Amino acid sequence: MTKNGNSLDQRTFDKLSRLYIIALSAIALSVIISQILIRKHLNAQQSDSTVINVAGRQRMLSQKLTKEVLLISIENNQEKRLKLKDKFKNTLQLWESSHYALQEGSDSLGLPGNNSKVILDMFKDINLSFNALNKASASIIKKIENDSVVSALTHADELKIIQQNEGIFLLKMDQIVNQFDIEAEEKVGWLRNLEMLLTAITLLLLLGEFLFIFWPAAKTVKNNLSELLEAEKKAKKMAFDADVLSDAKEKSIKELRALSHAMDETLLFARITPNGVIMHMGNKFSRLFKFSKFNANAIFSEVLSIHENEQRVIDDIVSKHQKTGWQGEVKATTKAHVEVWLEMSIIPFSPTDDKSELLIIASEITSKKAGQIEIERLTKASFEEKMSQQKTISSKIIENQEKEQNRIAKDVHDGIGQMLTGLKYNLESIDINDIDKTAIKIEHLKELTSNIIKGVRTATFNLTPPELTDYGIVPAITKLTQELSKLTGKHIVLYNKTDFVERLDSLAEINIYRIVQEAINNAIKYADSTHIIVSLSHSEKILSIVIDDDGKGFDPNKVKNIKTGEGGMGMTFMKERIKYINGRLFLNSELGKGTRVTLNIPLS
């Protein structure tokens, strides 16, 4: 002992602890500050891509406005003209709201509105063309709404204004998009410099900690080792004195052993530390759970059960009731995978003033508990079966969605992203003074551009096609069959028997499209078919879609039960979708004779 009453190792530990806490706190503080600064900057940049996408979309919308107003001017059919007017009005509203959102910000579009002075000046410049286009477009809509049979000549002036300002708007909008992109690049450069600065600061902190904390600490440890050697001599003398005392205690220990042996053979008895480490386990307890007395520092919960969840329950009971005691039922599982129920009591016990233990006394109630569990199982069986089935379906839906998102992200990153990078580098490497090499590189760039276009087309194919939104289910399915036929080499055709062209509710159209897409993909992937025919027909109340293939077919009765979570999920999703739109689905297949999927959708 030292003069102040503290042991040498305790003083050394306290000093080292303080030094290490200071060192680690400094490192942690630098990391936290770094993360705060970086995350703050990243949050500010989070909306940059959205701003650029919306700004880019404005160019497309302005072209679409011009296209739609020309269609209105040449359309003589009153009904079709009204439909074109509604479509033109929707495009105008989206174009107008996006334009103001880019300047003032919009929570719904994810636009912050914190534009630079350069961009604000550019918007002031473009607003002349925007206002002219907006006013002329609104005038055309108003005239048609007031008189749907009005001649196209009545809005010839507005059409002229639109044609005059559309090109100017496109040119200036290109400049705004380029400026957005330049400012985003500048922010990325600033963040890169910030990261380098923070790294340098962290390295300086580590160097300072080594010079002023770790090196002095090493010297302190060296000095303390000398003191510990002296303390070792004193400890040997104390050990000799302890041997004398041990002889006096031997008699008492023998008496305790006799009592302990009696308890070991008659009760499920054990002694553990408050942390759950077994100090002693009775013979009867040991035989039940195959516990070896040579297994030092064994954890009580791990001996009682091989399952982690049961171990956690036992650990929680011991931790919460180590001072107050506890009595109740506990489930355990032996190493032979036999479930055992125990009625157990935990009794706090202090053999000395500075030491505490827990006495465990238990009895086996497995047979009694098995009867109770069986009654509860029978009561809840039906409910749990339904919940399990629903959870399986939900998990598979989420899993398929994640797989589709990951596939699209991989296609874009690995294919399109790399090709765009290659395109950028090839463009930068062009030397206009070397005409021969420039011509060769331009040819290469043409080929690379074609590959990029094909990659974009492939990556976005399985997303909702624009034909579905713009023209309806028939053009969308037509496009689907054409594209899949090109991509797979299969003969896939659409046969519209009754020339059905009506538009349905948007939710009905997307669900019909997904069901047809799933059926065709199943025929491609699993049926080994060469010809797939999609037939459409309708009556006054029913739209019928039939997907036939000449593949190998299958026995529908042998499809695995969806409750097991294995197989049959594609058909389950199709049934869920058709149920959602109040339709009916029929599946007919026979080995060697192909498969037919029939959809019947109500039209009213």
Side-chain angles (χ1 to χ4, degrees):
M1 299 291 288
T2 59
K3 292 181 180 180
N4 59 7
N6 291 327
S7 63
L8 182 62
D9 60 341
Q10 183 62 40
R11 287 192 298 109
T12 304
F13 176 76
D14 291 341
K15 185 174 181 179
L16 290 175
S17 296
R18 288 193 296 271
L19 291 174
Y20 277 104
I21 288 172
I22 292 171
L24 294 176
S25 298
I27 295 173
L29 183 62
S30 68
V31 172
I32 291 171
I33 293 174
S34 301
Q35 289 299 313
I36 290 173
L37 291 174
I38 291 173
R39 287 182 180 275
K40 182 178 179 181
H41 189 76
L42 287 176
N43 290 336
Q45 283 188 276
Q46 190 173 15
S47 60
D48 284 354
S49 60
T50 303
V51 171
I52 294 173
N53 286 337
V54 174
R57 187 182 65 184
Q58 285 297 89
R59 299 177 297 185
M60 178 274 291
L61 290 175
S62 66
Q63 293 176 316
K64 189 176 180 184
L65 283 172
T66 305
K67 173 185 174 182
E68 291 175 350
V69 77
L70 289 173
L71 291 174
I72 291 174
S73 65
I74 63 175
E75 182 57 61
N76 296 322
N77 184 283
Q78 181 180 354
E79 183 179 353
K80 290 184 179 180
R81 196 176 191 193
L82 288 174
K83 289 182 179 180
L84 288 171
K85 183 269 296 180
D86 292 338
K87 192 173 180 181
F88 176 67
K89 186 176 182 180
N90 291 335
T91 304
L92 178 62
Q93 290 174 350
L94 177 59
W95 179 68
E96 182 181 3
S97 63
S98 298
H99 186 79
Y100 291 129
L102 284 170
Q103 300 176 68
E104 302 169 2
S106 170
D107 292 337
S108 61
L109 294 177
L111 301 176
N114 54 346
N115 297 322
S116 65
K117 185 177 184 304
V118 174
I119 291 178
L120 290 176
D121 292 340
M122 295 175 77
F123 269 113
K124 287 181 182 179
D125 184 36
I126 201 176
N127 279 340
L128 295 174
S129 299
F130 169 79
N131 291 332
L133 287 169
N134 192 15
K135 184 176 180 181
S137 300
S139 176
I140 293 173
I141 293 172
K142 185 175 180 181
K143 287 181 179 180
I144 296 176
E145 288 179 345
N146 291 336
D147 187 359
S148 60
V149 297
V150 66
S151 171
L153 296 175
T154 60
H155 49 259
D157 292 339
E158 288 84 351
L159 180 60
K160 183 177 180 181
I161 292 172
I162 290 174
Q163 290 175 334
Q164 290 174 346
N165 287 275
E166 193 264 344
I168 299 173
F169 181 85
L170 276 178
L171 177 62
K172 294 182 178 180
M173 202 66 218
D174 279 336
Q175 296 172 353
I176 291 175
V177 173
N178 291 335
Q179 184 62 28
F180 274 128
D181 187 55
I182 290 171
E183 293 183 1
E185 288 289 340
E186 291 175 351
K187 292 179 182 178
V188 172
W190 186 91
L191 179 60
R192 189 180 296 110
N193 294 333
L194 175 63
E195 288 180 330
M196 293 179 64
L197 176 62
L198 292 175
T199 301
I201 293 173
T202 302
L203 292 175
L204 289 175
L205 279 174
L206 291 173
L207 178 61
E209 288 170 357
F210 173 77
L211 294 176
F212 299 107
I213 295 178
F214 294 113
W215 181 250
K219 290 182 178 180
T220 302
V221 170
K222 182 178 180 181
N223 295 332
N224 288 338
L225 285 175
S226 299
E227 297 180 16
L228 287 173
L229 291 174
E230 183 65 27
E232 183 182 9
K233 296 178 181 179
K234 296 179 181 180
K236 288 180 179 180
K237 185 178 181 301
M238 293 175 65
F240 177 79
D241 295 337
D243 289 338
V244 176
L245 293 174
S246 66
D247 292 336
K249 293 180 179 178
E250 186 174 351
K251 184 178 179 181
S252 298
I253 292 174
K254 290 180 179 179
E255 293 175 354
L256 289 174
R257 284 176 179 171
L259 177 61
S260 177
H261 178 73
M263 294 180 67
D264 288 348
E265 296 297 333
T266 57
L267 298 174
L268 296 177
F269 170 77
R271 290 167 42 231
I272 65 174
T273 68
N275 294 328
V277 177
I278 296 176
M279 302 178 65
H280 172 76
M281 179 171 278
N283 294 335
K284 189 173 181 180
F285 225 155
S286 299
R287 288 194 296 269
L288 179 60
F289 292 97
K290 309 298 182 187
F291 173 73
S292 172
K293 296 183 183 296
F294 299 102
N295 188 1
N297 298 323
I299 304 300
F300 182 66
S301 60
E302 295 177 357
V303 172
L304 260 61
S305 179
I306 59 175
H307 299 311
E308 290 184 2
N309 58 336
E310 295 175 359
Q311 293 172 3
R312 284 195 297 269
V313 171
I314 297 170
D315 287 338
D316 288 343
I317 293 172
V318 172
S319 175
K320 292 178 181 178
H321 304 283
Q322 58 181 266
K323 294 183 178 179
T324 59
W326 178 83
Q327 183 175 2
E329 296 178 352
V330 172
K331 183 176 180 290
T333 305
T334 68
K335 293 181 176 63
H337 297 274
V338 177
E339 295 184 353
V340 177
W341 280 92
L342 302 175
E343 187 170 8
M344 189 169 71
S345 297
I346 300 177
I347 304 170
F349 171 67
S350 299
T352 61
D353 293 339
D354 59 348
K355 184 177 181 182
S356 61
E357 299 177 1
L358 298 176
L359 300 181
I360 308 295
I361 301 175
S363 59
E364 185 180 357
I365 56 168
T366 305
S367 299
K368 174 184 174 182
K369 194 66 180 180
Q372 294 176 355
I373 293 174
E374 181 63 18
I375 293 173
E376 293 175 359
R377 187 191 67 79
L378 293 174
T379 304
K380 297 180 180 180
S382 177
F383 173 78
E384 291 177 349
E385 182 180 0
K386 293 179 181 178
M387 289 299 294
S388 176
Q389 179 179 356
Q390 189 61 40
K391 287 179 181 178
T392 301
I393 294 173
S394 299
S395 66
K396 286 295 182 181
I397 291 173
I398 294 172
E399 180 182 346
N400 284 350
Q401 289 175 342
E402 289 298 323
K403 287 181 179 179
E404 182 64 12
Q405 292 174 359
N406 290 336
R407 183 193 65 77
I408 293 171
K410 185 176 184 300
D411 287 345
V412 173
H413 180 272
D414 295 346
I416 302 170
Q418 293 181 5
M419 287 189 286
L420 286 173
T421 302
L423 179 63
K424 176 178 179 293
Y425 288 142
N426 276 277
L427 285 171
E428 292 175 348
S429 66
I430 290 177
D431 183 2
I432 59 176
N433 295 323
D434 191 340
I435 298 176
D436 294 336
K437 289 185 178 180
T438 299
I440 294 173
K441 288 187 176 182
I442 289 175
E443 290 300 321
H444 177 65
L445 288 173
K446 289 180 181 179
E447 180 181 356
L448 187 58
T449 303
S450 299
N451 292 336
I452 292 173
I453 294 171
K454 183 178 180 181
V456 172
R457 185 179 185 185
T458 302
T460 58
F461 176 67
N462 282 327
L463 299 174
T464 303
E467 288 83 7
L468 186 61
T469 304
D470 296 339
Y471 305 111
I473 188 63
V474 176
I477 295 178
T478 302
K479 184 70 173 179
L480 174 68
T481 56
Q482 292 172 351
E483 291 295 328
L484 286 177
S485 183
K486 292 177 183 178
L487 292 173
T488 63
K490 308 283 186 180
H491 296 284
I492 307 173
V493 296
L494 173 68
Y495 181 31
N496 192 351
K497 296 181 178 179
T498 55
D499 294 327
F500 178 80
V501 294
E502 297 179 22
R503 292 299 304 267
L504 305 177
D505 178 79
S506 60
L507 287 177
E509 289 185 340
I510 188 61
N511 278 287
I512 294 170
Y513 180 84
R514 292 302 184 200
I515 295 171
V516 174
Q517 185 182 40
E518 178 71 22
I520 295 174
N521 284 332
N522 286 343
I524 294 171
K525 294 178 181 178
Y526 309 118
D528 292 335
S529 58
T530 58
H531 291 75
I532 302 171
I533 299 176
V534 182
S535 305
L536 277 76
S537 60
H538 79 289
S539 62
E540 184 178 350
K541 296 183 178 181
I542 296 292
L543 169 64
S544 180
I545 302 176
V546 180
I547 302 94
D548 288 299
D549 69 69
D550 63 347
K552 60 186 179 182
F554 64 94
D555 185 355
N557 296 325
K558 293 184 179 180
V559 174
K560 293 184 178 179
N561 194 323
I562 63 168
K563 295 178 184 178
T564 64
E566 302 174 355
M569 295 310 299
M571 182 56 61
T572 300
F573 298 152
M574 292 165 67
K575 290 181 178 179
E576 289 295 322
R577 286 185 180 275
I578 199 70
K579 186 189 300 183
Y580 184 74
I581 57 176
N582 297 321
R584 299 185 68 187
L585 183 145
F586 303 94
L587 176 67
N588 300 98
S589 184
E590 188 175 343
L591 288 174
K593 295 185 178 180
T595 301
R596 166 172 287 188
V597 178
T598 304
L599 314 177
N600 289 335
I601 303 98
L603 294 177
S604 59

